[in-house]
Amino acid sequence: MIANYWGCDDGPRRYHHTAPINSVYALREALSLVVEEGLENFIARHQKNAELLQDGFEKMGLTFFVQDKRHRLPTITGVVIPQGVDQKNVPAFIGEKYNMDIAGGLGKSAGKIWRVGLMGVNSTKDNVNLVLKAFQDAMDNIKLQNNL
């Protein structure tokens, strides 16, 4: 349908709704970046950065929603919220100081995990290090506040 909408086939153009054109252009650009990088390199980069992120979280003493490494996604990491830490404090601190959005869990994981996404052009070693720095900073500040 999208190909027909763009006139990529020989059939008459069908129209049944207004396409979400910004999303179509965004999808096209995202796919062109994947092609430019090469699918194998794209996948390897995401996997490598996910492992760096998870190693950093482990060094901080954080644990994961998906315990078996083989089943974790390379684009989103579910981090278990440590006991005694308010689920909103860390994302709020990181959002305000680092201008990053850390999401909470959904469904049965709501209030139990934070979801950290590094995907596409944001999946870089520098961004992994920045996310880890932001989390460490947030956790340190929350500990300081709790000790006052």
Side-chain angles (χ1 to χ4, degrees), residues 62-120:
L62 297 172
T63 58
F64 304 99
F65 183 65
V66 178
Q67 307 227 335
D68 188 334
K69 290 181 181 187
R70 297 172 300 163
H71 299 294
R72 293 181 191 157
L73 297 173
T75 53
I76 298 177
T77 300
V79 180
V80 175
I81 299 170
Q83 195 165 17
V85 175
D86 184 293
Q87 65 175 334
K88 295 178 184 176
N89 289 350
V90 169
F93 180 91
I94 291 173
E96 188 170 314
K97 184 169 180 180
Y98 292 91
N99 200 27
M100 290 182 208
D101 186 25
I102 305 299
L106 299 170
K108 292 182 181 182
S109 69
K112 298 176 183 175
I113 68 168
W114 295 306
R115 292 177 298 125
V116 181
L118 285 171
M119 57 196 83

Side-chain angles (χ1 to χ4, degrees), residues 5 27 30 52 58 73 79 110 117 143:
Y5 186 81
L27 176 60
L52 285 171
E58 283 180 338
L73 297 173
V79 180
K143 286 177 188 172

Side-chain angles (χ1 to χ4, degrees), residues 15-96:
Y15 177 86
H16 74 287
H17 68 286
T18 301
I21 199 66
N22 289 343
S23 297
V24 173
Y25 280 115
L27 176 60
R28 189 220 178 271
E29 180 61 19
L31 291 172
S32 71
L33 292 172
V34 172
V35 168
E36 184 179 313
E37 182 176 357
L39 184 59
E40 294 80 14
N41 294 333
F42 179 85
I43 291 169
R45 175 172 55 87
H46 281 78
Q47 188 61 45
K48 178 182 172 189
N49 290 323
E51 290 169 5
L52 285 171
L53 181 69
Q54 292 163 16
D55 289 346
F57 281 145
E58 283 180 338
K59 288 177 184 169
M60 282 185 225
L62 297 172
T63 58
F64 304 99
F65 183 65
V66 178
Q67 307 227 335
D68 188 334
K69 290 181 181 187
R70 297 172 300 163
H71 299 294
R72 293 181 191 157
L73 297 173
T75 53
I76 298 177
T77 300
V79 180
V80 175
I81 299 170
Q83 195 165 17
V85 175
D86 184 293
Q87 65 175 334
K88 295 178 184 176
N89 289 350
V90 169
F93 180 91
I94 291 173
E96 188 170 314

